[in-house]
Amino acid sequence: MTHATTTAAATAADDTAVPEPARVTVIGTGYLGATHAACLAELGYDVLGLDTDPAKIADLAAGRLPFYEPGLAELVERHTAAGRLRFTTDPAEAAAFADLHFVCVGTPQRRDSMAADTSHVEAAVAALVPHLRGDALLVGKSTVPVGTAGGLQALADRFAPAGVEVGVAWNPEFLREGRAVEDTLRPDRIVVGVTDPRHEKALRELYAPVVDAGVPFLVTDLATSELVKVAANAFLATKISFANAIAELCDAAGGDVVALTDAIGHDARIGHQFLSAGLGFGGGCLPKDIRALMARAGELGVDEALTFLREVDAINMRRRSRTVALAVEECGGSVLGRRVAVLGAAFKPGTDDVRDSPALNVAAQLQLQGAHVRVHDPRANATAARTFPTLGYADTVEEAVAGADLVLHLTEWQEFRDLDPAALEPARRVVVDGRNALDADRWAAAGWRVRALGRPAVGPASVPVRQDSAPSS
């Protein structure tokens, strides 16, 4: 196999090091694929992105990003303008362009079970392989159930033209939304699962600019590489839900979960990361990945090994209902007719992604109970409005909060942490901090009553309606 990789691709800043950039294709140009394609171009490669969505391809070809990710739009714009990054809907063009192809399509949760839907991955391989005219390597980056790579190898063998050898390797992604460019160009580690030394060599050469900077390059078998990402996400989800389980105990006992998790986080064996109690996790990865891992364990006959993940999932979902209950409690037992301001729509700061957003879930639950909800998010208002069009949306924090009977802080954007609570003009100065991220003492000093998950209330015991405020109905 002659894979189009080279150690000469030192950095994008030194284009002269790559007189004839090696070619790579990226199949799937969603969040993962667009990021990977742009970052490979930044490393000095000629990259062709392939997708079945003509509108998405047109946007990307014009240098426009259909979602928000810090720093990525600039990479896409720069490298499309330079001609180093191109896009197509034609699998034959992609097959002719390179002999190393990354598969970056989505694997959503199936509608009828907790399992991951791998049909898009299979379709991508079936569409590309028949057009190959020389030996090629398919490198999966999508998060898939263990055993998928072996099935794709069989699929590739079935569709490959006579005399063409197609290999399959796996290279899981570890992107954090809001830091995806950094995580691609300067990752914690690179993991590759291979069955052939030639595949390892090709990927070592491809990632040489990153590995030469000191990033560990870990080589495993296919099954291990498929399990690494979901195992990491399951561990992180467990750590988050542990903190939230302790928050439930603190609520019952009168403890302060923030002080508690800070204390145990100083233990080097535990650490502070992912130990913050609050509204819980959401997004397109952690929830579906732990469910898919449980489903795959059941298929393999070892479901008892991961039954604890059911409670991890349940604890996470209880955080949402607990936040709703706090809101109802602070409105005197009913939110019917009350104005509620929701600060945050994205599942986390630094993105406009609202997939399985805890913030929007809480907002929708309150609306179903009769509240008049206004949402503000620095980045995600538009994407949220497409998903939850019946909610109200405000262009500014001040507009969302004006005349509100209750304010909920549900996505921990820095803009919200930096707010001057004295300058806001709600009907009642009551805030439910679903992320335990606000300075409760500062808000209390401004006359606010602050409620949070796993912490005692701070501020006045009761807050009257301001006489100069807007009416609450």
Side-chain angles (χ1 to χ4, degrees):
M1 246 180 257
T2 309
H3 295 299
T5 58
T6 175
T7 55
T11 62
D14 183 11
D15 288 344
T16 59
V18 195
E20 294 183 4
R23 293 182 163 193
V24 183
T25 74
V26 175
I27 306 170
T29 59
Y31 183 85
L32 167 60
T35 302
H36 194 58
C39 288
L40 286 175
E42 180 75 358
L43 291 174
Y45 297 104
D46 269 354
V47 184
L48 180 66
L50 171 67
D51 205 289
T52 59
D53 185 344
K56 186 190 300 182
I57 288 298
D59 279 343
L60 289 167
R64 296 189 298 268
L65 200 63
F67 54 87
Y68 173 71
E69 175 61 35
L72 183 57
E74 293 82 356
L75 291 187
V76 171
E77 183 178 3
R78 180 165 72 249
H79 292 302
T80 52
R84 178 165 284 169
L85 176 61
R86 297 190 296 109
F87 299 92
T88 184
T89 58
D90 184 1
E93 182 182 356
F97 183 80
D99 57 13
L100 197 156
H101 309 272
F102 283 95
V103 180
C104 299
V105 298
T107 54
Q109 185 175 332
R110 287 173 48 178
R111 294 180 181 273
D112 58 348
S113 75
M114 295 193 302
D117 180 357
T118 60
S119 62
H120 300 295
V121 178
E122 294 155 5
V125 172
L128 177 78
V129 170
H131 298 285
L132 296 173
R133 294 296 175 264
D135 294 350
L137 177 61
L138 306 181
V139 184
K141 290 196 72 68
S142 305
T143 303
V144 296
V146 61
T148 300
L152 293 179
Q153 181 66 71
L155 188 67
D157 292 343
R158 177 154 59 93
F159 281 102
V164 171
E165 180 184 352
V166 181
V168 173
W170 219 261
N171 171 216
E173 57 89 7
F174 303 104
L175 304 186
R176 294 167 292 176
E177 293 194 36
R179 297 193 59 182
V181 172
E182 176 77 11
D183 287 344
T184 302
L185 295 176
R186 286 167 285 277
D188 294 327
R189 74 289 200 196
I190 295 170
V191 177
V192 297
V194 297
T195 59
D196 188 318
R198 295 174 297 170
H199 303 165
E200 177 187 340
K201 180 176 184 294
L203 290 171
R204 279 190 184 277
E205 290 177 353
L206 179 85
Y207 284 120
V210 180
V211 175
D212 289 349
V215 174
F217 186 87
L218 311 177
V219 182
T220 75
D221 54 80
L222 288 177
T224 301
S225 65
E226 291 170 307
L227 283 168
V228 168
K229 171 65 182 297
V230 289
N233 278 353
F235 183 84
L236 295 176
T238 301
K239 193 172 182 182
I240 295 168
S241 283
F242 174 82
N244 284 326
I246 293 298
E248 293 184 18
L249 181 60
C250 285
D251 276 334
D256 185 332
V257 73
V258 172
L260 188 154
T261 53
D262 178 59
I264 67 174
H266 283 283
D267 188 325
R269 298 168 299 175
I270 298 173
H272 285 99
Q273 285 193 321
F274 285 83
L275 200 60
S276 298
L279 186 51
F281 55 82
C285 290
L286 258 64
K288 82 171 180 69
D289 285 356
I290 65 171
R291 294 164 192 163
L293 186 58
M294 284 189 282
R296 186 59 178 145
E299 292 168 354
L300 294 172
V302 290
D303 51 308
E304 289 186 0
L306 296 178
T307 53
F308 72 94
L309 288 179
R310 294 187 183 276
E311 185 58 26
V312 167
D313 200 6
I315 292 168
N316 186 58
M317 298 307 292
R318 282 204 302 273
R319 295 293 79 200
R320 304 178 187 192
S321 57
R322 174 57 182 154
T323 303
V324 172
L326 270 182
V328 172
E329 181 181 325
E330 288 301 319
C331 286
S334 173
V335 294
L336 182 63
R338 297 300 188 105
R339 288 187 175 179
V340 177
V342 171
L343 304 185
F347 85 93
K348 61 179 284 188
T351 180
D352 63 354
D353 192 347
V354 299
R355 289 176 295 174
D356 200 8
S357 164
L360 286 180
N361 181 274
V362 168
Q365 288 190 56
L366 291 170
Q367 184 188 49
L368 286 174
Q369 294 189 34
H372 301 295
V373 180
R374 284 183 297 189
V375 178
H376 171 71
D377 189 284
R379 287 286 179 177
N381 267 15
T383 51
R386 289 194 291 270
T387 306
F388 289 88
T390 61
L391 293 172
Y393 294 90
D395 292 332
T396 65
V397 170
E398 292 75 16
E399 180 187 346
V401 170
D405 297 296
L406 179 69
V407 177
L408 282 82
H409 172 240
L410 303 183
T411 307
E412 62 271 39
W413 288 92
Q414 190 62 46
E415 291 96 320
F416 299 155
R417 297 186 188 199
D418 293 340
L419 285 171
D420 178 4
L424 300 175
E425 298 184 354
R428 295 173 66 245
R429 293 197 167 192
V430 182
V431 61
V432 173
D433 182 8
R435 293 297 181 179
N436 278 315
L438 301 179
D439 184 336
D441 291 336
R442 185 165 67 94
W443 282 68
W448 287 74
R449 175 172 167 79
V450 183
R451 295 295 305 275
L453 300 166
R455 305 187 78 183
V458 178
S462 62
V463 180
V465 176
R466 289 173 46 217
Q467 296 304 309
D468 61 340
S469 67
S472 63
S473 62

